[in-house]
Amino acid sequence: MANKNLYYMLNIIFGLFFIFPIMGFLLFAFKYNALEDEYLPFFFLGVLVFSLCGLLVLRRLFDKISRISHEVTEKAGTFTRHKINGNNNEIQNLVDSFSAIENQLGTLFQKLGKKTSEISILKELSELCYVTFDPEEIMHVTLERAMLITKSDIGSVLMLSQGDPRQFVVRATFGLGERLRLGDRIDFATSIAKYAVINKSPLIVADVEKDWRFGRMSREHYGTNAFICMPLKTSNEIIGVLTLSRKKDSETLLSSEDVEALTPLLSNAAFTFENLRLIKQNKKDTFILASIDRIFKIINSSFKDRELIRAVLREINEVIPFSFAMLLMKDEKKSDGVSVVDVYSNGPVPFAKGSSYTMGKESVLEQVFNQEISVVIQNTDELTDKDERALFEKTSNKAGLFAPVSIKGTVRGALVLVGEDQEIFFQAKSFIDWMVSGISLAIQRNTLSSSLNRRNHELDAIRQIGSALASSTFDLKQVLKYTMDMIKNVMRVDAGSLFFLEDNELRFAVSFNVDLEASKDIRLKLGQGIAGYVAARGESLIVNDIKSSGHFFPGVDEITGFVTTSALCVPMISQGKVIGVIEVLNKQNSQFTRNDEELLKSIASSVSIAIENARLYQETVTQAESERAIRRKAELFIQLLM
């Protein structure tokens, strides 16, 4: 009877409590003639009436119970979305319905508790936004709360690098130990997380090894083969992803319900992160503008040379916390050489001011010079040039920025910044480009100022030479000595010599920083050596690379012991004829230029005039002395005649 309905049971009850007792009563009544009693039929009729009334009442009660059972069963099936077995009796259906409702209410209470927890976490995160202004801390707290909601053991937050969108940067991590640390970079192209960014939707992976989209083996830091990647979306873009998984001994996998629970949390976190980042960026931009203003004031100030460069680098260091900075300039004597013009650092550096080295092929510095672009060092292990690797060895520095310094539209140098965090250099790349432009202007201004001062100094020297030669006593040795002293002070060379042309040979007359005793017997034929070539052609000659020159005569260096690396030689011309040459050797810290040639030609012209004046003066004196001697002889002869 367990599966029989109430009506079946009602019939059984009616039979047990009415039909069978009545039949038994009738049986005894016929057997013992009890019906002959005048009252017994009325009693029997009363029993039948009252039994029928009870049956009707019981029938209505059973109808009501059946109807209630049917209604409860239907509503329970709709509420719980669980079909109740209608073949059971009404009482059992009621029991099953209430059990299903109880289970459903338990599930709803669990979901309600979970939603309450999520709302509490959102409230806590919202309140945290008013407490901290650090976007990195927001990501850390978001990951912690997301793991709490989904009961995950392993999680990470990967943000797209602002400087290089081809990379993820780890901003928060739990449960991965040394396998994944803050600041680590992950290649965008090879990461599964890229699909959440590209599709702008959550990525649910049930088994990474069986998923046809990836076709890869499970990795240690995944935890289980199943995980989810949630994109962090702002109003305009995807800024990163949050990845969650559980340990291998976990039986429950992350599902779409977890994604649904995380969506409001991550939306709030992404917008909060973006707002805080924009606030932080706005403050930084304001600070950068103030720094730019101060830097251009420094450029327009009275600072010069190293004092100006160091003041600019000090301001840059206020914006970008680098470890040290170097200003490199091309070596004019070597096409692939660079020299360290200045260094700004609070500690030891691998290269000192004034040192130089050669750019290797395919080096970062060569790329900067050739392509005229700024380059951020992302992986120091990929550097091939040993000098560039030395910038990062034996230090905690893992990042660097090489920016080209242009002078008059041509890259002549580079600013090198070395630090610990390459993200800083990516973010400040445009600022660095601005600052390098400022440094370029400062260098050009210094160059122009130095050129102007040098030109004024040269003009003063020419005037002094001219005045000295004009007011000289026509002593040729004194004229030549004074001339070489002025050349030594004005032209910044290591040595110099003056040759006279006599009988188609050049001989040393006067020099500085050259052993004159060893060289006084040297004679150079016309066309021999640089001086002989200039004397033969009557034209100036600049040689900045002695080794590649076919005019250089090494015999003079062998005799004097001097080592010549560069030379400038100009002729001394008087009355259309070459009377000698002036040669200066080894320009200090630079190469000989046309300006040096013009200056030395001006000096040579003045010296030629002075020499000619001295010669004419000597001839005049000699002629006057001859005339006086003749006069004295004539007077003596007249006296003898008288």
Side-chain angles (χ1 to χ4, degrees), residues 335-398:
S335 60
D336 58 349
V338 291
S339 57
V340 181
V341 176
D342 205 352
V343 177
Y344 180 84
S345 174
N346 296 323
V349 293
F351 297 101
K353 179 177 182 275
S355 61
S356 60
Y357 63 91
T358 302
M359 291 185 298
K361 291 184 177 180
E362 298 182 358
S363 64
V364 176
L365 198 58
E366 185 184 45
Q367 180 183 355
V368 170
F369 277 95
N370 293 337
Q371 299 183 14
E372 302 182 8
I373 58 173
S374 298
V375 177
V376 176
I377 302 300
Q378 301 183 42
N379 186 359
T380 57
D381 295 333
E382 296 178 358
L383 294 175
T384 58
D385 188 85
K386 63 177 183 178
D387 292 316
E388 291 176 349
R389 290 181 67 89
L391 295 173
F392 305 93
E393 291 178 350
K394 298 180 181 180
T395 65
S396 59
N397 300 315
K398 299 298 180 183

Side-chain angles (χ1 to χ4, degrees), residues 41-55:
F42 294 102
F43 173 78
F44 180 71
L45 182 61
V47 170
L48 289 177
V49 172
F50 283 109
S51 296
L52 289 174
C53 290
L55 178 62

Side-chain angles (χ1 to χ4, degrees), residues 78-186:
T78 304
F79 177 69
T80 62
R81 296 180 182 179
H82 177 71
K83 186 176 181 180
I84 306 298
N85 187 7
N87 296 325
N88 296 330
N89 62 59
E90 286 80 353
I91 301 297
Q92 186 62 42
N93 287 342
L94 285 175
V95 173
D96 293 342
S97 298
F98 281 113
S99 296
I101 292 172
E102 181 183 11
N103 293 333
Q104 184 67 19
L105 288 176
T107 302
L108 291 176
F109 275 119
Q110 288 180 355
K111 291 184 178 180
L112 181 61
K114 189 175 182 180
K115 291 294 182 183
T116 303
S117 176
E118 294 170 5
I119 294 172
S120 176
I121 290 173
L122 286 174
K123 181 176 179 294
E124 179 183 354
L125 185 62
S126 300
E127 292 175 350
L128 182 64
C129 300
Y130 295 98
V131 176
T132 180
F133 289 94
D134 186 2
E136 306 297 332
E137 185 177 355
I138 292 295
M139 288 294 100
H140 185 86
V141 173
T142 300
L143 176 60
E144 185 180 17
R145 298 301 184 267
M147 294 177 66
L148 181 64
I149 291 174
T150 59
K151 298 180 180 180
S152 300
D153 307 300
I154 300 172
S156 62
V157 174
L158 310 178
M159 304 299 292
L160 287 171
S161 174
Q162 291 182 329
D164 187 358
R166 298 170 299 178
Q167 288 186 330
F168 286 113
V169 181
V170 180
R171 291 305 181 194
T173 177
F174 282 106
L176 294 171
E178 295 296 321
R179 295 190 297 272
L180 195 66
R181 295 172 295 182
L182 293 179
D184 286 352
R185 293 182 172 269
I186 299 174

Side-chain angles (χ1 to χ4, degrees), residues 255-266:
S255 63
S256 58
E257 293 182 357
D258 297 304
V259 170
E260 184 179 353
L262 290 174
T263 299
L265 172 66
L266 299 190

Side-chain angles (χ1 to χ4, degrees), residues 261-281:
L262 290 174
T263 299
L265 172 66
L266 299 190
S267 297
N268 187 33
F271 280 107
T272 302
F273 177 87
E274 184 68 7
N275 290 336
L276 292 179
R277 189 187 66 80
L278 290 175
I279 292 172
K280 189 175 181 179
Q281 185 65 40

Side-chain angles (χ1 to χ4, degrees), residues 326-511:
M326 295 193 307
L327 180 61
L328 308 177
M329 298 299 291
K330 276 188 175 180
D331 191 340
E332 296 182 359
K333 297 181 180 180
K334 296 174 62 179
S335 60
D336 58 349
V338 291
S339 57
V340 181
V341 176
D342 205 352
V343 177
Y344 180 84
S345 174
N346 296 323
V349 293
F351 297 101
K353 179 177 182 275
S355 61
S356 60
Y357 63 91
T358 302
M359 291 185 298
K361 291 184 177 180
E362 298 182 358
S363 64
V364 176
L365 198 58
E366 185 184 45
Q367 180 183 355
V368 170
F369 277 95
N370 293 337
Q371 299 183 14
E372 302 182 8
I373 58 173
S374 298
V375 177
V376 176
I377 302 300
Q378 301 183 42
N379 186 359
T380 57
D381 295 333
E382 296 178 358
L383 294 175
T384 58
D385 188 85
K386 63 177 183 178
D387 292 316
E388 291 176 349
R389 290 181 67 89
L391 295 173
F392 305 93
E393 291 178 350
K394 298 180 181 180
T395 65
S396 59
N397 300 315
K398 299 298 180 183
L401 174 66
F402 289 69
V405 176
S406 299
I407 307 296
K408 296 181 180 180
T410 303
V411 177
R412 303 299 302 275
L415 176 66
V416 180
L417 304 179
V418 178
E420 298 181 3
D421 187 4
Q422 66 176 353
E423 191 71 18
I424 296 176
F425 294 124
F426 274 124
Q427 295 175 0
K429 195 173 180 181
S430 58
F431 168 73
I432 291 297
D433 290 339
W434 274 91
M435 292 305 96
V436 169
S437 299
I439 291 176
S440 300
L441 290 175
I443 293 174
Q444 291 185 59
R445 197 197 71 169
N446 282 341
T447 302
L448 292 174
S449 178
S450 298
S451 298
L452 180 61
N453 292 334
R454 185 171 63 253
R455 185 59 86 182
N456 290 335
H457 184 59
E458 292 170 354
L459 292 175
D460 289 340
I462 292 174
R463 283 196 297 268
Q464 291 177 21
I465 292 173
S467 299
L469 296 178
S471 61
S472 69
T473 60
F474 299 104
D475 184 348
L476 187 58
K477 290 185 178 180
Q478 184 178 354
V479 169
L480 297 180
K481 182 179 183 304
Y482 182 79
T483 299
M484 299 308 291
D485 289 341
M486 294 300 296
I487 290 175
K488 178 180 179 181
N489 293 330
V490 173
M491 299 206 64
R492 298 178 182 177
V493 292
D494 291 341
S497 302
L498 186 147
F499 301 80
F500 279 128
L501 181 62
E502 296 178 354
D503 298 329
N504 292 328
E505 288 186 341
L506 291 172
R507 67 170 181 83
F508 277 93
V510 64
S511 64

